[in-house]
Amino acid sequence: MEEWQRELQASLTKPEDLARELGIDPDAVRSVMKEYRVRITPQMLKLIKEKGNPIWKQVVPEAVEGYDLLAASDPLNEDGDSPVPHLVHRYPDRVLLMVTNQCPIYCRFCTRKRLVGKPGFISKGDLDLAVDYIKNHPEVRDIILSGGDPLLLTDDHLERVLKALRAIPHLEIIRIGSRVPGSLPSRITESFCAMIKKYHPIYMNLHFNHPDEITPEVKEACERLADAGVPLGSQTVLLKGINDDPEVMKRLMQKLLMCRVKPYYLYQADLTRGTNHFRTTVEEGLTIIKAIQGHTSGMAVPHYVIDAPGGGGKIPLLPADYLVDLNSQEAVLKNYENRVFRYPQAEPEKVSTTTQQSNGPFKILNNGGDE
Ligand SMILES: *Cc1c(COP(=O)(O)O)cnc(C)c1O
Ligand code: SF4
């Protein structure tokens, strides 16, 4: 057994573990824990220094999860977009493959709360079905390995998956979504990195929600991945009482950049059953984007998106006041300091290109504008 597997085994998983380590009344969470599994790795436990801190809220179960029965268990209708088991094909040129339901920690706000925690990893037969599907769909050029957390597969198992995918000629990039570097950093071993780099281009999007998650061990795990040539992005969920604060979010994004992780998505919380107590308003997300854009490195700004309920995909949102007005004459713009600027529109008859300069400025207009 590898060191990371021992660490995973030492995680808190039972009501009695929570009682012993965190002083929780085990009977208050017993029924919720039957429905929604708990796992708190030693790395995350170390960060829970006081009751109700931002790490605690992400991983410690609460009875309230069991009361919220109105919301859907599959709010993005992933099951409806699944042509073969574990595969979601929603966008034209990319698919998402859930290779396990196991995670290093079970986030209380998880969109896949209906699935995560169930035992097992993708079987050979199901992997073959997914690979066949992609082979028969030449338009698919990008795959996201997801779950659960793909980095809980052993190196050998993950390598079998990667090898099978790399045998598909039209599959250009492979992405892996993972919360492992932030919650079980010892899993990012040198031998894992040596394996992964054989299958480039592999991108990873790492899940982080709070700057305190970025400890020296976590930073080193990210650095090992970056040194293996894996471009790193991040995904963050906007969560009430955890990171719904512009300063906290800005600090998180800045710390990610220090780990060579480029902030990718900031998600509005989904309408998932058992997670309603984490939702914020959309205005709060827009306020956070306004507090980051222009005020610090542009590299630190994630795309703020809502994954459309029912399965419409991710829709990006920008604060509406950047574009005060847009008409045929001009764009009226507001910058990060709330100063207003005017950008005059290009007029078709004034357009000229360097290649056609000798023909005079009206050449393009004379040819008509819309070929
Ligand atoms: C998020 C997601 C993707 C990837 O979307 P990108 O915007 O390309 O990162 C693909 N498929 C599904 C089902 C998704 O939820
Ligand atoms: S690691 Fe990801 S998939 Fe797993 S419980 Fe957390 S949010 Fe859900």
Side-chain angles (χ1 to χ4, degrees):
M1 193 184 280
E2 291 192 65
E3 172 56 28
W4 66 269
Q5 290 167 315
R6 271 192 292 277
E7 249 177 64
L8 192 62
Q9 272 194 350
S11 301
L12 313 185
T13 57
K14 298 192 285 293
E16 290 67 32
D17 299 338
L18 301 184
R20 186 184 68 243
E21 298 290 336
L22 299 171
I24 288 193
D25 172 6
D27 294 321
V29 290
R30 217 177 284 280
S31 77
V32 136
M33 286 177 71
K34 279 209 185 80
E35 181 80 16
Y36 303 122
R37 269 195 66 181
V38 167
R39 179 148 61 199
I40 304 174
T41 54
Q43 168 74 17
M44 288 312 242
L45 182 60
K46 208 167 62 179
L47 296 174
I48 298 179
K49 297 196 181 88
E50 62 196 78
K51 185 175 179 341
N53 84 355
I55 312 300
W56 172 299
K57 285 186 183 160
Q58 292 184 59
V59 293
V60 178
E62 281 189 85
V64 64
E65 294 170 38
Y67 308 153
D68 165 26
L69 296 174
L70 288 178
S73 61
D74 179 16
L76 307 179
N77 190 28
E78 291 182 324
D79 297 344
D81 274 342
S82 180
V84 296
H86 315 300
L87 194 77
V88 183
H89 191 179
R90 165 163 306 148
Y91 293 105
D93 67 344
R94 51 214 191 277
V95 293
L96 182 145
L97 181 63
M98 298 180 217
V99 293
T100 178
N101 290 317
Q102 291 281 304
C103 297
I105 54 178
Y106 292 111
C107 312
R108 308 323 297 169
F109 50 83
C110 181
T111 295
R112 304 219 178 97
K113 222 171 152 82
R114 72 188 187 283
L115 298 174
V116 296
K118 292 184 188 161
F121 299 91
I122 192 165
S123 66
K124 170 94 174 61
D126 282 351
L127 178 62
D128 289 346
L129 281 176
V131 167
D132 281 346
Y133 177 87
I134 301 166
K135 278 189 177 147
N136 291 326
H137 288 79
E139 70 276 20
V140 175
R141 41 161 293 286
D142 177 0
I143 186 169
I144 295 139
L145 299 183
S146 181
D149 199 312
L151 296 197
L152 286 195
L153 272 65
T154 61
D155 292 4
D156 284 347
H157 195 172
L158 188 59
E159 180 156 21
R160 284 201 293 279
V161 174
L162 295 174
K163 208 176 244 167
L165 294 173
R166 275 292 170 236
I168 306 171
H170 56 266
L171 199 59
E172 296 176 359
I173 69 168
I174 298 175
R175 307 192 233 175
I176 297 176
S178 179
R179 201 160 184 184
V180 158
S183 57
L184 188 66
S186 60
R187 198 269 169 265
I188 310 302
T189 60
E190 291 299 341
S191 51
F192 171 79
C193 293
M195 182 277 283
I196 216 91
K197 70 198 277 190
K198 291 190 278 178
Y199 300 94
H200 275 319
I202 299 223
Y203 285 70
M204 283 194 196
N205 284 318
L206 311 181
H207 183 164
F208 288 102
N209 296 323
H210 192 277
D212 289 353
E213 292 164 33
I214 301 170
T215 64
E217 299 93 316
V218 167
K219 182 163 187 278
E220 284 163 23
C222 294
E223 286 166 347
R224 289 193 289 279
L225 290 170
D227 286 347
V230 180
L232 302 174
S234 69
Q235 319 202 69
T236 297
V237 186
L238 176 54
L239 297 163
K240 190 165 156 182
I242 294 172
N243 59 16
D244 56 342
D245 174 317
E247 284 309 309
V248 168
M249 203 65 97
K250 185 164 86 182
R251 191 66 202 130
L252 169 62
M253 301 306 159
Q254 290 169 334
K255 282 184 92 171
L256 288 169
L257 289 179
M258 293 285 291
C259 302
R260 286 184 270 167
V261 178
K262 163 74 186 83
Y264 181 42
Y265 277 141
L266 171 64
Y267 293 104
Q268 180 68 13
D270 290 326
L271 296 165
T272 310
R273 182 181 301 171
T275 69
N276 193 48
H277 53 298
F278 288 109
R279 294 206 300 132
T280 66
T281 63
V282 176
E283 284 85 344
E284 286 169 276
L286 292 169
T287 300
I288 284 168
I289 293 300
K290 276 203 86 174
I292 300 176
Q293 176 75 57
H295 296 275
T296 190
S297 320
M299 296 280 295
V301 187
H303 302 286
Y304 172 46
V305 295
I306 297 185
D307 220 333
K314 298 172 184 73
I315 300 174
L317 300 178
L318 274 179
D321 47 356
Y322 289 150
L323 189 58
V324 178
D325 189 25
L326 179 63
N327 56 52
S328 60
Q329 300 303 310
E330 61 177 0
V332 184
L333 307 160
K334 201 182 257 185
N335 82 347
Y336 72 103
E337 296 166 305
N338 291 320
R339 291 163 61 210
V340 174
F341 296 83
R342 290 169 187 278
Y343 176 86
Q345 292 275 34
E347 286 167 41
E349 60 272 23
K350 287 190 182 146
V351 171
S352 74
T353 65
T354 45
T355 52
Q356 289 180 320
Q357 253 162 11
S358 60
N359 294 326
F362 298 109
K363 175 73 173 152
I364 292 172
L365 186 68
N366 294 344
N367 282 350
D370 45 23
E371 312 96 23

